[in-house]
């Protein structure tokens, strides 16, 4: 079997794998420096509501400007009844709301005291739905706090207060949102793609962090795809906390949330047609 000597073979030592991961990441990061400007766009969100909470255990005052923009994707349809069932389920995190989390900025509150403000941007249609349904508004605030906690490694109180006569505090800044999230899949050996009429199955997935001890630098996903003979049949979408993979036509489907926030733009994917394993290497943010 002929393989490209510069790419992954069927068997490797641990040091060879680590060296390959480093090379792939360096190559991809170099490409992103040249093309990164086209992978995002600037949006100017509109005001929505303002909520006050505080950090734990420091008890420092924090404000959230929940903003809206049609440029942010609309989350999947969800009724009031579906939301109630979701919140009572064992895994309420299974439903994700697309949002853009802005950098902290300092403003003055009504007492002229300095405080920290975060701008959170969601889809405008979803925001209006939350305005008309108290349960959805509580859900939106909860997932916004969770997103800020994960991104900035902090703890926030769930005893928030929505300000009645204020839609935002300070000024709402422009934000950059990503427009591309699909890494190119490099193929290690080319064969003809086979077709199948089977319904999609969930493939075997192995997630590991590098290094194994200490702060994680990379999250590595290995997906076993028996019967997939070419990367041309794979559609991969990597989000900052989610991995979605489809092997066409209707062979495999994977949709999983990641244990760490990752840099989706610097992630690389490679499919080994010999082992029929897709390896996705994702730098961890933080």
């Amino acid at each position: 079997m002929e393989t490209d000597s510069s790419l992954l073979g069927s068997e490797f030592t641990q040091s060879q794998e680590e060296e390959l991961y480093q090379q792939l990441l360096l190559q991809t990061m170099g490409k992103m420096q040249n093309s990164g400007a086209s992978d995002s766009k600037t949006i100017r969100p509109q005001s929505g509501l303002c909520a006050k909470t505080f950090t734990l255990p420091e008890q420092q005052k924090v404000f959230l400007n929940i903003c809206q923009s049609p440029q942010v994707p609309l989350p999947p349809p969800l009724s009031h009844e579906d939301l109630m069932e979701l919140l009572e389920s064992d895994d309420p995190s299974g439903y994700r709301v697309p949002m853009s989390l802005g950098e902290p900025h300092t403003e003055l509150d009504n007492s002229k005291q300095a405080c920290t403000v975060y701008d959170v941007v969601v889809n405008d249609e979803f925001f209006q739905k939350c305005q008309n349904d108290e349960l959805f508004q509580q859900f939106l605030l909860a997932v916004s706090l969770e997103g800020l906690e994960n991104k900035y490694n902090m703890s926030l109180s769930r005893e928030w207060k929505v300000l009645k006569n204020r839609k935002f505090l300070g000024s709402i800044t422009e934000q950059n949102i990503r427009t591309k999230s699909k890494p190119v899949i490099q193929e290690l050996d080319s064969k003809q793609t086979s077709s199948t009429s089977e319904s999609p199955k969930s493939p075997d997935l192995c997630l590991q962090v590098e290094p194994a001890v200490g702060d994680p630098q990379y999250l590595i996903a290995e997906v076993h795809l028996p019967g997939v003979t070419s990367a041309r049949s794979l559609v991969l979408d990597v989000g900052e906390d989610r991995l979605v993979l489809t092997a066409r036509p209707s062979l495999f489907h994977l949709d999983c949330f990641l244990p760490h926030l990752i840099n989706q733009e610097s992630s690389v994917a490679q499919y080994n047609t010999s082992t029929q394993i897709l390896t996705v290497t994702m730098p961890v943010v933080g």
Side-chain angles (χ1 to χ4, degrees), residues 143-157:
V143 296
S144 297
L145 292 174
E146 181 180 357
L148 291 171
E149 288 176 331
N150 291 334
K151 183 172 183 178
Y152 295 108
N153 192 26
M154 60 180 178
S155 296
L156 296 169
S157 171

Side-chain angles (χ1 to χ4, degrees), residues 30-161:
K31 294 177 182 178
M32 289 306 302
Q33 291 177 352
N34 297 327
S35 62
S38 62
D39 291 347
S40 64
K41 60 182 176 181
T42 301
I43 63 171
R44 182 180 293 276
Q46 301 299 313
S47 62
L49 65 84
C50 184
K52 178 176 69 174
T53 185
F54 49 86
T55 61
L56 296 174
E58 300 86 358
Q59 300 288 316
Q60 294 180 349
K61 193 182 300 183
V62 170
F63 289 87
L64 275 67
N65 288 332
I66 306 296
C67 311
Q68 51 184 319
S69 172
Q71 303 298 322
V72 177
L74 184 68
L78 189 70
S79 67
H80 182 95
E81 292 73 20
D82 292 337
L83 179 57
M84 292 182 63
E85 293 182 6
L86 177 68
L87 297 176
E88 295 173 355
S89 67
D90 295 332
D91 185 22
S93 63
Y95 181 86
R96 293 300 176 101
V97 178
M99 60 177 56
S100 177
L101 304 173
E103 298 291 329
H105 51 100
T106 302
E107 306 289 351
L108 296 178
D109 61 13
N110 287 338
S111 302
K112 304 302 180 182
Q113 299 294 317
C115 58
T116 302
V117 181
Y118 295 90
D119 298 338
V120 179
V121 190
V122 297
N123 178 267
D124 56 344
E125 291 185 31
F126 182 73
F127 176 80
Q128 293 303 320
K129 184 174 185 177
C130 295
Q131 286 291 83
N132 298 326
D133 190 313
E134 179 69 20
L135 183 62
F136 269 93
Q137 185 181 97
Q138 299 295 310
F139 175 67
L140 173 59
L141 287 167
V143 296
S144 297
L145 292 174
E146 181 180 357
L148 291 171
E149 288 176 331
N150 291 334
K151 183 172 183 178
Y152 295 108
N153 192 26
M154 60 180 178
S155 296
L156 296 169
S157 171
R158 295 308 189 264
E159 296 181 6
W160 62 70
K161 178 182 179 181

